[in-house]
Amino acid sequence: MTPQPHFDLSSFNTFGLTAHADWGLIFDSIERLRAVLADTRWSSLPRLVLGGGSNVLFTDDFAGLVLINRLQGIEINELSDGWQLQVAAGESWPGLVEETLRRGIPGLENMALIPGTVGAAPVQNIGAYGVELCQFCTHVDALEVKSGTLVRIPAAECGFGYRESHFKQTWRQTHIIVGVGLFLPKQWHAQVAYGPLRSLGDAPSALQIFDEVCRLRREKLPQPELLGNAGSFFKNPTVAVMVADKLAALYPAMPQFPQHEGGVKLAAGWLIDQAGLKGMTVGRAAVHQQQALVLVNLGGARAGDLVQLACEVRNRVLAQFDVDLEPEVRFIGKQGDTTLEEAMRCVI
Ligand code: FAD
Ligand code: EPU
């Protein structure tokens, strides 16, 4: 298979937006990926690697090569104190969570139903219900684009933070993730400190947590097949303690989460909700009624509708609370990664 021209991206982004790439290739072997990267017909074009497209917003057609990762394979090694997993980057993340639990291996249950691929999981260090990927990740295997060599990067060197890693920043264009290593210890503890899970009591099983997380997510988050979306549109902002104290005096009901590393995390969904923006629409884009942090495609939305809505939400929250929201979703323009501000200039 060689890259296909005028590649349709509509089924490779969960917003369900219409967009095309000049070229696109679905790859299921590292050799194939290497060969395409070394081929002068494509090597100098802008390049974008995608898994499930569940965290991207195409603001334009993409004038380059899209590489859709479908590398498959899960290896599980039982050790005396846990299980070491080696997972190919194109495997489904929610599929992996179910597979481990089916085999009696607990640990990933809080991160059930997060859409997308295992290879994208380290990019923003996915997390949910009080647990993050970095708690289990031992290493990431990546292809260095320039040299074509495979490198194994220990988790400690990946720059993991809240919805952050080096793969999202400095390594964005230089590394393609092909595999992820995870260690799931046999000494398992239920992680139920996150508000809505406390109702499970002190000693739920991993399967009970899995079921409850699935139930909560189905209740709050729209299914992309029914209502296009990319999960939380913005990150939860962290502010200085002094700022948080001032806000708490003005809004006593505001949820606040003090961070070990300093500062206080606020709930962006609460801020958007309190600004009265639930249900607000621009064209066919809307702020979701059940979860204000999620922007949805009501059907037939243009990228410009979502971009303008996102700007409006950000501006209104800034005006009311003096808190600036940073997008979590990756904006992809004609040449690759872009910003909300730049996207706004292009769509107007
Ligand atoms: P894509 O959207 O295809 O790509 C995302 C980014 O990663 C892009 O910049 C892409 O270039 C890069 N990338 C992808 N694969 C690779 C690779 N192999 N090598 C290098 N770079 C790569 N996220 C959470 O953290 N927690 C949640 O609870 C959560 N809930 C969600 C709920 C819904 C309904 C939706 C739609 C999304 C949710 N998300 C959540 C966001 C999303 O699921 C994650 O960001 C996920 O990891 C994206 O996977 P993907 O394969 O779809 O990545
Ligand atoms: N809230 C409101 N109104 C809303 C939405 C939320 O008042 O419309 C309040 C809730 O009542 C709660 C607080 O805001 O007090 C936090 O809400 P929730 O527990 O639903 O979590 P979130 O902050 O909105 C985060 C992640 C999700 C993750 C959930 C569960 C971010 C940006 N989002 O959402 O991740 O699934 O917690 O852990 O960190 C994603 O990243 O795409 C994503 C969906």
Side-chain angles (χ1 to χ4, degrees):
M1 260 304 250
T2 56
Q4 301 299 299
H6 198 57
F7 189 83
D8 185 358
L9 294 168
S10 50
S11 53
F12 296 107
N13 75 97
T14 58
F15 267 122
L17 295 174
T18 306
H20 286 84
D22 282 0
W23 298 96
L25 176 77
I26 300 174
F27 67 93
D28 59 8
S29 84
I30 295 177
E31 290 65 39
R32 187 78 215 98
L33 176 62
R34 261 205 195 104
V36 170
L37 292 172
D39 190 317
T40 51
R41 281 175 291 176
W42 296 290
S43 56
S44 59
L45 296 178
R47 189 181 50 252
L48 174 71
V49 185
L50 281 185
S54 61
N55 211 27
V56 293
L57 195 166
F58 289 108
T59 62
D60 205 335
D61 286 330
F62 179 64
L65 171 66
V66 166
L67 296 161
I68 313 265
N69 181 356
R70 291 294 176 265
L71 296 170
Q72 300 293 295
I74 302 177
E75 280 170 36
I76 301 180
N77 267 322
E78 184 167 0
L79 308 172
S80 57
D81 56 347
W83 293 270
Q84 179 67 49
L85 276 57
Q86 180 64 33
V87 190
E91 288 285 346
S92 143
W93 175 267
L96 175 70
V97 175
E98 283 195 42
E99 178 65 12
T100 50
L101 290 171
R102 198 183 60 74
R103 292 183 183 220
I105 304 173
L108 301 180
E109 54 283 347
N110 295 53
M111 292 187 282
L113 284 194
I114 300 180
T117 53
V118 170
V123 175
Q124 71 156 7
N125 180 28
I126 58 168
Y129 294 93
V131 175
E132 288 183 330
L133 176 88
C134 64
Q135 291 166 241
F136 302 100
C137 184
T138 50
H139 61 265
V140 175
D141 291 334
L143 188 72
E144 265 185 358
V145 174
K146 217 171 172 183
S147 64
T149 52
L150 285 175
V151 288
R152 175 157 292 184
I153 307 165
E157 292 170 24
C158 290
F160 288 133
Y162 165 63
R163 299 295 191 269
E164 271 306 336
S165 77
H166 293 324
F167 297 103
K168 203 169 160 181
Q169 307 291 346
T170 41
W171 296 343
R172 209 171 57 204
Q173 282 299 310
T174 55
H175 291 67
I176 296 176
I177 297 171
V178 296
V180 176
L182 300 166
F183 181 74
L184 302 178
K186 287 188 177 169
Q187 269 212 341
W188 172 84
H189 303 286
Q191 309 225 38
V192 287
Y194 194 87
L197 294 186
R198 287 199 200 119
S199 61
L200 291 174
D202 284 342
S205 68
L207 278 180
Q208 281 172 320
I209 297 175
F210 173 83
D211 286 342
E212 182 61 4
V213 168
C214 291
R215 193 190 66 74
L216 287 164
R217 293 183 68 98
R218 289 199 172 106
E219 191 178 277
K220 285 187 184 178
L221 294 167
Q223 272 178 265
E225 305 77 45
L226 305 178
L227 208 52
N229 76 92
S232 300
F233 198 93
F234 298 97
K235 291 185 188 183
N236 285 326
T238 299
V239 299
V241 175
M242 257 173 57
V243 174
D245 287 347
K246 265 195 200 165
L247 285 166
L250 288 169
Y251 306 97
M254 177 182 279
Q256 297 204 345
F257 308 94
Q259 302 294 292
H260 295 305
E261 58 277 16
V264 177
K265 198 184 269 184
L266 306 178
W270 188 90
L271 299 172
I272 299 168
D273 195 352
Q274 292 301 306
L277 304 179
K278 259 188 182 166
M280 180 188 180
T281 58
V282 171
R284 298 292 296 156
V287 177
H288 190 48
Q289 288 284 3
Q290 275 73 45
Q291 228 297 3
L293 195 44
V294 178
L295 304 190
V296 296
N297 176 356
L298 296 171
R302 295 173 310 117
D305 297 342
L306 283 156
V307 168
Q308 280 187 48
L309 180 63
C311 277
E312 194 60 34
V313 167
R314 191 179 191 178
N315 290 340
R316 298 251 198 129
V317 168
L318 187 63
Q320 181 165 343
F321 300 101
D322 200 22
V323 173
D324 194 14
L325 297 181
E326 183 193 338
E328 173 187 308
V329 166
R330 316 298 299 157
F331 295 88
I332 314 288
K334 213 166 189 54
Q335 301 295 320
D337 274 79
T338 182
T339 59
L340 178 56
E341 294 77 11
E342 184 56 34
M344 189 68 189
R345 277 196 286 278
C346 293
V347 296
I348 293 282

